[in-house]
Amino acid sequence: MGIEDASMRNGRPLSDQWADSVVVRPRTTEQHITVNKRLVLGFAISILTLIIVTAIAITLSVSFERCAAESSGTLAANGSSNSKWKQSRNANISHRDSEDGQQPWRHLRLPATLRPRHYDLRLSVSMENFTFSGEVHIEFECVHSTKLIVLHTDRLEVDKVLVYSDSKKAGAMRIQRRFHYQPKQVYVIALHREMKPLRTYKINITFHAHIEHELLGFFRSSYVLNGERRFLAVTQFSPTHARKAFPCFDEPIYKATFRVSLKHESSYQSLSNMPVEASTSDEDGWVTNHFSRTPRMSTYYLAWAVCNFTYREAVTDSGVVIRLYARPDAIQSGSGDYALHITKRLLQFYQDYFKVKYSLPKLDLLAVPKHPYAAMENWGLSVFVEQKILLDPDVSSFSYQMELTMVVVHEICHQY
Ligand SMILES: *[C@@H]1O[C@H](CO)[C@@H](O)[C@H](O)[C@H]1NC(C)=O
Ligand SMILES: *[C@@H]1O[C@H](CO)[C@@H](O)[C@H](O)[C@H]1NC(C)=O
Ligand SMILES: *[C@@H]1O[C@H](CO)[C@@H](O)[C@H](O)[C@H]1NC(C)=O
Ligand SMILES: *[C@@H]1O[C@H](CO)[C@@H](O)[C@H](O)[C@H]1NC(C)=O
Ligand SMILES: *[C@@H]1O[C@H](CO)[C@@H](O)[C@H](O)[C@H]1NC(C)=O
């Protein structure tokens, strides 16, 4: 109540004042003129606003178009050539669409015309100058007739290419042209003659490349032992980096068997998914390890390493040999023993749980100083960064041990 009274009291003089001012305001022609002026002013302002809004809209749409063009075209990185490129792209749209059928290397995915069945891969690895050269021999089946072999390569220098037919008219097939198409990381081999469905063919490719100091493909890293820098080279192919180590059909659907052989200086040892089947020594101090044939699998599960590590070993009840490889000082101090111990128990546990036997004769765990992930579950050769597999029971915390256990449990489960 009190509040209402106050407002009434306060309101009366106010409204009186307002009424006064209204009464006092003169209704003359002068007022009409000011009203007209206001109208004109308002009209001008609204037109001006309209112009500004339109200008902003045009600017926005232009820059949006430019963004869209840049994101849709790999060639448009260069600003100055951008508009030129856009014009020619527009002019060529229909042309390029009709051409795509004959230019499958422009597609993101490989054409599904060929299917690899087996790879023979021979690599010669120089840890002196961090280069490797190789020869890959791929057996593949033709699914749909084609003159083109399109497979992945990236950062590889391809030297020689030979294509054979397995049919009655066996022998080398003539190659019309071959080239690397970098935007899609593919190598294209165009033949004179068409390959026919249900027939098998073979291709031999020799190549060479660098062992990069980068955590992808076949890469190198290093560690210090007794004040001396030591090097190792290891692979990381998941998801799409096998193509950096050898020419291949680098999509998970193209499963095949692999037989790897690695040649290197005898002061190093080498590992791969499968155990060594045979080993030969050259008189020049080089060794070649021939690994057994893998089961059918995707390219990203293939792995190998060239290092100067030592190991500790455990054998499961079903006879699977588990080895943990690490730098010699870590093995000596027993840092890998915990991971080795739980891996042995895990293999037995999973075998009982899934009722599936571990399908390879051995499992190597490799502790490397640097790795892009915590670990990678390559079949038969799992690679771990040292911090996720080595521990010192006297120093490491419980949470560190838990984290390490989770990583090992995860990677071993991948083996099934
Ligand atoms: C951009 O285009 C100009 C002229 O076409 C060329 O000289 C320059 O090298 C290009 N720059 C890049 C980064 O591609
Ligand atoms: C457009 O097509 C012409 C010939 O039809 C070709 O020479 C030119 O390189 C094409 N341009 C692009 C950007 O593909
Ligand atoms: C690297 O070393 C290997 C073997 O010692 C040799 O065959 C190769 O030519 C060398 N490459 C370079 C680039 O020096
Ligand atoms: C192709 O590679 C296979 C396996 O590496 C080899 O046996 C064969 O001799 C090679 N062919 C030629 C012509 O190099
Ligand atoms: C490998 O390790 C052994 C023993 O520690 C050492 O004598 C040899 O020099 C090492 N080789 C290389 C290439 O590091």
Side-chain angles (χ1 to χ4, degrees):
M1 289 284 269
I3 294 162
E4 259 178 46
D5 277 353
S7 69
M8 290 282 273
R9 253 182 280 124
N10 290 344
R12 193 158 293 134
L14 236 176
S15 59
D16 281 352
Q17 234 179 356
W18 186 77
D20 283 350
S21 72
V22 168
V23 172
V24 165
R25 197 177 283 159
R27 293 166 180 277
T28 57
T29 50
E30 209 181 289
Q31 197 201 6
H32 280 283
I33 288 162
T34 56
V35 166
N36 276 346
K37 266 188 189 166
R38 276 185 195 166
L39 261 176
V40 169
L41 201 68
F43 191 60
I45 286 173
S46 52
I47 285 179
L48 208 70
T49 318
L50 202 71
I51 289 169
I52 290 170
V53 167
T54 316
I56 290 173
I58 288 171
T59 325
L60 276 180
S61 75
V62 165
S63 62
F64 177 75
E65 247 176 55
R66 190 173 298 156
C67 275
E70 271 168 13
S71 63
S72 69
T74 47
L75 297 172
N78 197 330
S80 65
S81 66
N82 188 16
S83 59
K84 232 198 301 179
W85 174 78
K86 226 189 328 177
Q87 276 172 7
S88 66
R89 183 184 67 142
N90 289 342
N92 276 13
I93 275 179
S94 56
H95 176 69
R96 272 175 73 168
D97 277 356
S98 67
E99 213 175 43
D100 262 4
Q102 286 93 59
Q103 300 196 339
W105 57 86
R106 288 186 186 277
H107 289 258
L108 194 59
R109 300 287 301 272
L110 294 178
T113 46
L114 306 174
R115 191 159 287 280
R117 296 213 299 215
H118 176 71
Y119 292 77
D120 256 319
L121 178 61
R122 297 171 183 191
L123 291 178
S124 175
V125 179
S126 167
M127 296 296 283
E128 283 291 317
N129 53 20
F130 299 118
T131 59
F132 65 100
S133 59
E135 174 174 351
V136 66
H137 181 225
I138 312 172
E139 274 174 41
F140 59 92
E141 190 182 339
C142 180
V143 179
H144 300 290
S145 8
T146 177
K147 284 184 177 177
L148 294 174
I149 301 171
V150 184
L151 40 69
H152 287 110
T153 66
D154 187 24
R155 297 188 195 164
L156 300 175
E157 287 295 329
V158 171
D159 302 318
K160 274 192 291 182
V161 178
L162 285 168
V163 183
Y164 304 91
S165 160
D166 257 5
S167 67
K168 285 170 227 141
K169 288 183 284 174
M173 296 178 77
R174 275 176 67 208
I175 294 169
Q176 189 185 33
R177 65 176 181 138
R178 55 187 176 95
F179 59 93
H180 181 54
Y181 184 64
Q182 180 51 38
K184 296 292 185 283
Q185 303 179 346
V186 290
Y187 198 81
V188 184
I189 298 145
L191 301 171
H192 269 289
R193 205 149 45 89
E194 225 174 35
M195 291 175 286
K196 294 280 185 280
L198 300 178
R199 294 220 182 122
T200 56
Y201 297 85
K202 288 174 182 167
I203 183 168
N204 277 23
I205 306 176
T206 56
F207 57 95
H208 63 273
H210 289 277
I211 304 173
E212 302 283 348
H213 185 45
E214 190 193 34
L215 308 179
L216 297 172
F218 185 33
F219 67 93
R220 68 181 199 254
S221 68
S222 67
Y223 55 98
V224 175
L225 184 72
N226 307 328
E228 232 181 276
R229 186 155 291 279
R230 298 274 174 94
F231 291 91
L232 72 145
V234 66
T235 58
Q236 170 58 40
F237 289 166
S238 174
T240 58
H241 306 298
R243 63 190 70 172
K244 292 184 173 66
F246 67 107
C248 57
F249 295 82
D250 196 12
E251 286 177 13
I253 194 168
Y254 293 112
K255 291 185 170 65
T257 55
F258 297 83
R259 195 188 284 276
V260 177
S261 70
L262 291 171
K263 184 179 177 183
H264 48 82
E265 286 114 308
S266 58
S267 52
Y268 286 91
Q269 69 212 120
S270 52
L271 302 169
S272 186
N273 306 73
M274 298 300 285
V276 176
E277 203 175 62
S279 186
T280 55
S281 309
D282 291 352
E283 61 283 355
D284 56 358
W286 283 56
V287 188
T288 308
N289 281 337
H290 302 272
F291 298 91
S292 326
R293 190 188 184 108
T294 68
R296 239 177 118 245
M297 63 183 202
S298 301
T299 46
Y300 77 97
Y301 269 144
L302 195 68
W304 62 81
V306 176
C307 59
N308 195 12
F309 280 172
T310 52
Y311 64 87
R312 288 237 174 128
E313 188 179 273
V315 184
T316 64
D317 294 343
S318 51
V320 179
V321 179
I322 307 163
R323 282 182 181 177
L324 188 141
Y325 284 85
R327 54 170 94 188
D329 49 344
I331 290 296
Q332 203 168 17
S333 69
S335 304
D337 291 356
Y338 173 72
L340 186 64
H341 172 67
I342 61 169
T343 301
K344 182 182 165 185
R345 285 184 57 192
L346 279 166
L347 272 192
Q348 275 157 3
F349 169 78
Y350 285 137
Q351 205 149 288
D352 294 341
Y353 187 79
F354 294 127
K355 306 266 186 291
V356 175
K357 271 189 76 178
Y358 176 68
S359 33
L360 303 185
K362 62 99 176 173
L363 172 60
D364 291 333
L365 311 176
L366 182 68
V368 297
K370 282 195 195 125
H371 196 266
Y373 308 112
M376 175 62 207
E377 68 276 7
N378 309 304
W379 209 1
L381 176 59
S382 284
V383 180
F384 294 74
V385 68
E386 284 177 350
Q387 291 81 13
K388 299 291 179 204
I389 193 161
L390 301 181
L391 68 77
D392 183 343
D394 296 335
V395 178
S396 303
S397 68
F398 182 68
S399 64
Y400 181 94
Q401 187 175 6
M402 271 306 285
E403 202 183 317
L404 184 151
T405 309
M406 293 306 285
V407 172
V408 175
V409 167
H410 175 110
E411 300 308 332
I412 303 306
C413 192
H414 266 300
Q415 303 291 325
Y416 284 83

